[in-house]
């Protein structure tokens, strides 16, 4: 039989088959020997259990995409949730998530949450990501503002929700689908959300598609790559490729750079470009020290 892993807990995998039945399985030893770790979202082959006996997960089918953090496979869309305030928005994390999604061939959608706390800040954040290859929605999970439009955008998609702790990921999923997931307040002392989501779980939705609630986290390291490749994951740079004096051009400090000229002209957001340069500098150091 075949199915999809909806969650994994303590060495058990819960697989949804085509008839809507969930099976509790253990992974066969051959998967461990092959160093294959099943992930939520994996399409798998399995043998169902008999009565009180667990079934066996026999094989993981080829993945069309995978993320390591959150650890999910075969995701169509990553919904990146950014808090307008409380906590302060972590746009560098959003950039890292966008970069990770594009590297993995997964589309990204941005939800600027808590827009009611600072509408001007919400608009500023949205403006920074126009042209970044992701649809941007300004929403308020608490009041429901903008939620219906976001729900329609995600309809039929298998999607993961990611973003900084306290951004309102679980609250937004509750507003979108009525899951009743546990949510947490933000600590006033440290302005970080409490980690209310303890595991990844893929939840089927009415009308098709699935949503995955993922643990909040505050750190994400970009996958190691040749630094010159980072620019290829910034769609707003693409119209200017080939117009710089140097080739390849990092679009950072080089003279006569078409991308830098576009930043100065207001055609590319300067804050988004500044964070790109910071990520580029970080990658240059990691690339230089990769054999150290």
């Amino acid at each position: 039989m075949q199915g999809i892993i909806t969650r994994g807990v303590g060495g058990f995998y819960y697989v949804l088959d085509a008839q809507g039945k969930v099976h509790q399985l253990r992974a066969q030893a051959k998967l461990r020997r092959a160093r294959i770790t099943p992930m939520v979202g994996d399409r798998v082959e399995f043998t169902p259990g008999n009565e009180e006996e667990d079934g066996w997960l026999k094989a993981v089918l080829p993945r069309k995409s995978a993320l390591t953090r959150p650890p999910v496979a075969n995701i169509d869309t990553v919904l990146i949730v950014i808090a307008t305030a409380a906590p302060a928005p972590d746009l560098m994390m959003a950039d890292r998530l966008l970069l990770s999604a594009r590297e993995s061939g997964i589309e990204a959608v941005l939800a600027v949450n808590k827009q009611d706390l600072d509408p001007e800040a919400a608009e500023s954040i949205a403006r920074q990501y126009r042209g970044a290859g992701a649809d941007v929605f300004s929403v308020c999970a608490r009041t429901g503002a903008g939620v219906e439009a976001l729900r329609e955008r995600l309809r039929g998609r298998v999607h993961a929700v990611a973003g900084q702790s306290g951004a309102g990921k679980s609250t937004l999923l509750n507003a979108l689908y009525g899951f009743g997931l546990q949510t947490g307040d933000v600590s006033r002392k440290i302005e970080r959300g409490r980690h209310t989501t303890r595991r990844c779980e893929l939840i089927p939705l009415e009308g098709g598609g699935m949503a995955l609630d993922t643990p909040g986290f505050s750190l994400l390291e970009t996958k190691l790559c040749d630094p010159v490749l980072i620019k290829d994951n910034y769609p707003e740079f693409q119209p200017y490729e080939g117009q710089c004096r140097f080739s390849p051009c990092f679009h950072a400090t080089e003279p006569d750079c078409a991308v830098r000229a576009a930043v100065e002209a207001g055609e590319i957001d300067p804050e988004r470009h500044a964070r790109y340069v910071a990520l580029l500098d970080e990658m240059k150091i990691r690339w230089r020290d990769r054999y150290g």
Side-chain angles (χ1 to χ4, degrees), residues 10-250:
F12 291 98
Y13 298 94
Y14 297 86
V15 173
L16 181 69
D17 66 22
Q19 286 70 46
K21 182 179 179 180
V22 175
H23 302 262
Q24 180 173 293
L25 312 173
R26 292 182 180 271
Q28 289 187 334
K30 66 178 182 179
L31 294 179
R32 293 193 297 274
R33 289 195 295 269
R35 297 184 178 180
I36 297 174
T37 301
M39 300 169 68
V40 170
D42 271 331
R43 272 77 173 179
V44 299
E45 292 182 351
F46 68 96
T47 300
N50 295 316
E51 297 180 354
E52 299 301 319
E53 295 183 0
D54 299 322
W56 292 100
L57 198 160
K58 299 165 55 180
V60 174
L61 301 178
R63 295 165 177 157
K64 68 176 183 180
S65 64
L67 293 174
T68 56
R69 193 172 182 185
V72 290
N74 301 314
I75 295 296
D76 299 318
T77 305
V78 173
L79 175 61
I80 300 171
V81 183
I82 305 170
T84 301
D90 188 344
L91 300 187
M92 181 62 83
M93 172 180 281
D95 288 352
R96 291 180 191 275
L97 285 166
L98 275 172
L99 185 60
S100 179
R102 290 188 65 84
E103 288 175 340
S104 302
I106 303 171
E107 74 166 358
V109 173
L110 294 177
V112 184
N113 193 24
K114 306 184 184 182
Q115 56 147 289
D116 58 317
L117 298 181
D118 193 336
E120 290 186 6
E123 173 54 32
S124 175
I125 294 169
R127 183 176 62 251
Q128 291 188 46
Y129 289 100
R130 288 177 186 144
D135 291 336
V136 183
F137 292 81
S138 183
V139 303
C140 178
R142 184 179 61 83
T143 66
V147 170
E148 179 59 31
L150 179 59
R151 185 187 300 118
E152 286 301 312
R153 174 62 178 80
L154 298 172
R155 188 178 298 276
R157 311 294 287 171
V158 177
H159 51 282
V161 181
Q164 72 193 104
S165 298
K169 299 184 298 299
S170 292
T171 303
L172 184 56
L173 278 171
N174 289 342
L176 284 166
Y177 307 119
F179 285 165
L181 297 167
Q182 180 187 1
T183 62
D185 296 327
V186 175
S187 165
R188 293 182 180 178
K189 182 176 180 181
I190 61 173
E191 278 213 335
R192 286 183 183 174
R194 299 188 181 95
H195 294 257
T196 55
T197 304
R198 303 300 179 185
R199 63 173 182 268
C200 292
E201 182 171 359
L202 200 58
I203 304 173
L205 305 173
E206 290 185 13
M210 293 184 172
L212 185 103
D213 189 24
T214 55
F217 53 89
S218 57
L219 296 173
L220 181 69
E221 186 173 64
T222 308
K223 184 167 61 177
L224 181 66
C225 69
D226 187 331
V228 77
L229 299 177
I230 292 182
K231 63 182 178 59
D232 297 337
N233 290 305
Y234 281 72
E236 56 264 62
F237 296 173
Q238 297 309 307
Y240 308 98
E241 289 295 337
Q243 300 178 33
C244 303
R245 181 199 295 185
F246 299 101
S247 181
C249 181
F250 284 100

Side-chain angles (χ1 to χ4, degrees), residues 248-271:
C249 181
F250 284 100
H251 309 320
T253 60
E254 299 88 340
D256 298 326
C257 169
V259 168
R260 290 179 60 210
V263 172
E264 293 172 2
E267 296 168 3
I268 295 175
D269 185 86
E271 294 183 59

